[in-house]
Amino acid sequence: QVQLVESGGGLVQAGGSLRLSCVGSGRTFSSDPMGWFRQAPGKEREFVAAISRSGINRYYRDSVKGRFTISRDNFKNTVYLQMNSLKPEDTAVYYCAASSSGWNSGTVFSAPVYDYWGQGTQVTVSS
């Protein structure tokens, strides 16, 4: 069974940090570009960050640039999201995703490009 499993979410005060992990199983994800999305209550799912197969190319939504860092360890079939200087508006369920067909700079932000999704991990930032 192919799975992506996120962990590392929790409750943190504004200004704090969390590191999310997403471990893949059932197939290798080392050749897949991967991304993180989030969904807050009552809002649509939105792109957060993405990383290319090699890890060289990384993309971020403007509101997290300079605070979040996406990385990956292909040997461990794992992608990470280091989140620093967290704000209450970062509160959401965070999902990792993999794109078996790949993306380009024009489609990396689009959820339909990703065909494998984790179950999500809750991140709550208190003010």
Side-chain angles (χ1 to χ4, degrees):
Q1 182 181 1
V2 178
Q3 280 188 313
L4 291 171
V5 179
E6 303 95 336
S7 63
L11 173 64
V12 64
Q13 289 187 331
S17 298
L18 285 174
R19 188 194 195 204
L20 305 184
S21 299
C22 173
V23 181
S25 62
R27 67 185 287 275
T28 180
F29 290 94
S30 61
S31 59
D32 296 347
M34 299 192 70
W36 286 94
F37 288 74
R38 67 187 181 188
Q39 187 167 19
K43 295 187 178 181
E44 294 186 354
R45 189 171 299 191
E46 63 182 20
F47 169 82
V48 176
I51 188 167
S52 61
R53 299 174 180 88
S54 65
I56 292 177
N57 296 313
R58 309 183 191 194
Y59 303 85
Y60 300 93
R61 70 180 297 107
D62 287 345
S63 63
V64 308
K65 286 180 180 177
R67 300 188 297 121
F68 290 12
T69 303
I70 188 171
S71 61
R72 67 189 299 162
D73 185 334
N74 287 337
F75 291 105
K76 295 183 178 179
N77 226 20
T78 300
V79 64
Y80 305 97
L81 185 67
Q82 177 67 43
M83 306 186 295
N84 298 328
S85 302
L86 282 161
K87 304 176 180 180
E89 51 263 44
D90 294 318
T91 294
V93 177
Y94 283 71
Y95 301 88
C96 74
S99 175
S100 63
S101 58
W103 41 238
N104 55 47
S105 59
T107 61
V108 61
F109 312 101
S110 178
V113 170
Y114 299 82
D115 45 0
Y116 294 99
W117 290 84
Q119 82 291 346
T121 185
Q122 176 70 47
V123 171
T124 303
V125 185
S126 63
S127 57

